[in-house]
Amino acid sequence: MKKIICLILLCICLTGCADSNSTETRDEIRYSYENADAVITYIDMRKWFAYVPRWQWEIKAEYDGLTYEEADYASGMMNEPSFADSQKGDSVTVEVTEKYVSEKLVDRYISGIE
């Protein structure tokens, strides 16, 4: 009985192992990041105080044909967003992400406001 169980476990272990020398090629995926100055096209910022400062916002920013939209909130003395005192038309620093697959650019987007 022990031999049968050991044989079954050995078969399961061997069938679970994959061939590491696979002949199929895999695409190399690479990301690059850069900071850029975008223009705020819409901003709705609200601030109030309830034990600690609180902010709630909706913001849209554009850079080089790319648009970024965010609706979020934060609370706490050290969590004020960098664009808290900004107005429509002001500049804000954003992070632009580019995705390359096999050295070809396949996607470019604004990933966030710095």
Side-chain angles (χ1 to χ4, degrees):
M1 185 68 176
K2 279 185 173 181
K3 290 182 181 181
I4 293 174
I5 293 175
C6 288
L7 185 60
I8 292 172
L9 290 174
L10 182 63
C11 288
I12 291 172
C13 180
L14 290 176
T15 56
C17 298
D19 182 19
S20 62
N21 295 328
S22 177
T23 58
E24 71 181 63
T25 60
R26 296 186 180 191
D27 294 332
E28 179 185 331
I29 299 174
R30 183 177 60 87
Y31 292 90
S32 70
Y33 306 94
E34 70 172 291
N35 289 339
D37 290 330
V39 175
I40 297 174
T41 58
Y42 174 79
I43 187 165
D44 180 15
M45 175 68 67
R46 298 164 192 243
K47 180 184 176 184
W48 67 96
F49 190 86
Y51 297 113
V52 294
R54 298 173 192 261
W55 297 269
Q56 182 177 358
W57 64 86
E58 290 182 37
I59 188 169
K60 288 184 184 180
E62 290 185 3
Y63 169 74
D64 198 26
L66 304 173
T67 302
Y68 178 77
E69 296 181 31
E70 178 178 284
D72 208 352
Y73 64 92
S75 63
M77 189 66 76
M78 305 300 286
N79 292 328
E80 179 180 10
S82 62
F83 50 86
D85 297 324
S86 298
Q87 307 254 333
K88 182 179 176 180
D90 288 351
S91 180
V92 66
T93 303
V94 295
E95 182 179 71
V96 178
T97 302
E98 294 177 336
K99 179 181 178 182
Y100 295 89
V101 176
S102 298
E103 299 301 322
K104 292 181 184 176
L105 179 65
V106 295
D107 197 10
R108 185 171 187 244
Y109 56 93
I110 299 173
S111 53
I113 297 175
E114 296 291 311

